[in-house]
Amino acid sequence: MAQINMPADISAIMPCYIWLADPAETSQADVLTAIKGLAEGVKLDVLAFSETMPFIEALPSERQRIVQVFVDHFEGRLDLPGLEAVLGD
């Protein structure tokens, strides 16, 4: 398994947080682009969103669903092809 290369690889999470805080600032496509830019085999499942979940749970349901898909990917429950498939819905 490839290791996270700080800060280049971990920066893939930043577009997600920016989009989470202000969807007008960036898009879910920007988040997906950042994820695809990671080195092959890099796992970000060391990230945990437990402190962010109360904020996520307060979002409108459709946005909450999309954010949860990204969280599932970052926490290792959904691979990239699965992420792309769900976001393509």
Side-chain angles (χ1 to χ4, degrees):
M1 172 173 52
Q3 297 294 315
I4 293 175
N5 175 9
M6 301 283 220
D9 291 337
I10 199 73
S11 67
I13 191 67
M14 295 313 296
C16 186
Y17 278 120
I18 292 167
W19 177 72
L20 181 61
D22 184 3
E25 182 72 25
T26 190
S27 69
Q28 72 184 44
D30 294 327
V31 179
L32 190 56
T33 297
I35 291 168
K36 288 179 176 181
L38 291 171
E40 189 172 330
V42 168
K43 302 285 186 192
L44 294 178
D45 56 1
V46 297
L47 301 172
F49 286 79
S50 57
E51 293 179 15
T52 313
M53 287 312 293
F55 179 80
I56 293 170
E57 291 168 352
L59 294 171
S61 61
E62 179 58 20
R63 191 146 168 258
Q64 187 180 113
R65 182 190 73 80
I66 295 168
V67 171
Q68 188 58 55
V69 171
F70 282 117
V71 169
D72 288 347
H73 174 73
F74 284 124
E75 291 185 341
R77 291 185 296 274
L78 187 63
D79 62 8
L80 181 58
L83 175 66
E84 291 176 308
V86 173
L87 292 177
D89 291 347

